[in-house]
Amino acid sequence: EIRLSLVGSEMCIRDRYQRRVRGKMATRKIKIAIDGPAGSGKSTTAREVARRLNYVYIDSGAMYRAVTLKVLRSQVPLTDKEKIVEVAKNINIQLLPHPTKTHILIDGVDSSEDIRRPEVTQNIGPISSNSTVREILVAKQQEMGKEGGIVMDGRDIGTVVFPDAELKVFMLASAEERAKRRLKEYAAKGGDLAAQTYEAVLQDIITRDKADEARAVGPLKKADDAVEVDTTVLELDKQNDLVHELAVKRIAQSSS
């Protein structure tokens, strides 16, 4: 009887252990990389998928803005590349998930609104074009994503930043459709459509695509193992649903 009791206890302990292991596996978080040309809808979908999964959305643009804000506040000349690199090395950037947006902390202080100020937008050029700053921020992004639970979009996320991402998506849409979307966004923001012709916007998109594909550093490129999603005729909700479903399936596969 004593022996049966011990065996029963051992079985209970083993069962509890196995349930804990299964629970941990079931909640395993992955890295999701979404690449594609401008206007393909990758940023909107990346944010929404991150929200649904309660993942961190790594906003690379916000990170460059954070460095720019710190450079301006430190009164570092925009022509001093070495000091700008030092700021990038020493800055502490945290991205905290939130139901409506990602909160950006700079050295522990919430700067989500400050990084969107006009002076940051006007002076971000020398920071975003600095190849050493880019290397530093890519390393920071990789550190943020090493445990999984992140979604990031860009041009080379699946090929350079997170080549080991469990899910890679390459989103595209026709240049014509992307031009229509840009005009629609411009009008929604109160812009004067008379100052923006469809032909001019279309040409600008085609020119940018060629430039992005030809960049010496971080060119637009589809990873060999990326899932291609053409959003030309997809409504935004369906686009988000599709990528979310891909993520859920990949999480299940990674946890099995």
Side-chain angles (χ1 to χ4, degrees):
E1 292 178 356
I2 295 176
R3 179 57 184 167
L4 288 173
S5 177
L6 286 173
V7 170
S9 297
E10 289 170 356
M11 290 176 65
C12 288
I13 291 171
R14 185 170 65 248
D15 287 345
R16 286 199 297 271
Y17 173 77
Q18 289 175 343
R19 284 197 296 271
R20 284 200 301 271
V21 170
R22 285 196 296 269
K24 289 179 180 178
M25 292 175 67
T27 57
R28 182 174 182 272
K29 295 187 175 183
I30 67 172
K31 295 184 283 291
I32 302 172
I34 304 178
D35 291 305
S40 60
K42 61 183 184 293
S43 295
T44 302
T45 293
R47 291 177 189 274
E48 175 59 16
V49 171
R51 185 192 68 79
R52 294 186 188 184
L53 297 174
N54 196 28
Y55 276 21
V56 172
Y57 169 62
I58 297 183
D59 188 339
S60 60
M63 293 180 71
Y64 283 100
R65 285 177 172 274
V67 174
T68 303
L69 180 62
K70 184 70 180 288
V71 165
L72 295 174
R73 286 178 171 174
S74 302
Q75 298 184 328
V76 172
L78 294 174
T79 54
D80 194 331
K81 294 184 178 180
E82 291 185 1
K83 286 188 178 179
I84 288 175
V85 167
E86 283 302 309
V87 170
K89 283 182 180 178
N90 297 321
I91 192 172
N92 178 20
I93 303 173
Q94 292 175 278
L95 307 180
L96 303 181
H98 187 270
T100 56
K101 66 177 181 178
T102 300
H103 283 279
I104 316 297
L105 273 62
I106 300 177
D107 299 329
V109 179
D110 192 335
S111 305
S112 305
E113 300 300 325
D114 289 344
I115 64 169
R116 307 294 176 186
R117 295 174 65 87
E119 57 266 32
V120 173
T121 302
Q122 293 163 6
N123 292 291
I124 197 172
I127 283 75
S128 61
S129 63
N130 188 311
S131 59
T132 306
V133 169
R134 172 183 162 75
E135 291 174 5
I136 292 168
L137 291 187
V138 165
K140 290 179 184 291
Q141 291 155 8
Q142 291 171 334
E143 179 65 22
M144 290 176 182
K146 69 179 183 179
E147 301 297 333
I150 61 93
V151 183
M152 186 172 179
D153 69 281
R155 290 183 302 266
D156 62 346
I157 310 307
T159 55
V160 176
V161 183
F162 292 118
D164 61 339
E166 290 85 350
L167 175 61
K168 300 176 187 176
V169 176
F170 191 83
M171 300 182 73
L172 68 159
S174 69
E176 292 77 11
E177 175 60 24
R178 287 184 284 139
K180 292 175 184 176
R181 291 175 185 175
R182 182 176 292 181
L183 283 171
K184 187 176 180 180
E185 291 172 359
Y186 185 70
K189 293 178 180 179
D192 182 8
L193 288 178
Q196 289 278 349
T197 66
Y198 168 79
E199 290 74 16
V201 172
L202 176 60
Q203 187 55 51
D204 181 58
I205 285 175
I206 293 172
T207 300
R208 179 170 177 178
D209 284 352
K210 291 179 179 178
D212 284 346
E213 292 169 358
R215 286 170 64 100
V217 179
L220 172 65
K221 185 178 180 182
K222 176 187 173 184
D224 293 337
D225 54 346
V227 178
E228 187 172 292
V229 175
D230 191 333
T231 70
T232 302
V233 296
L234 281 181
E235 294 179 358
L236 183 57
D237 287 343
K238 292 182 179 179
Q239 169 181 316
N240 293 340
D241 290 343
L242 176 58
V243 177
H244 179 246
E245 288 170 10
L246 288 171
V248 171
K249 289 179 181 177
R250 196 58 53 90
I251 291 170
Q253 291 169 355
S254 299
S255 300
S256 61

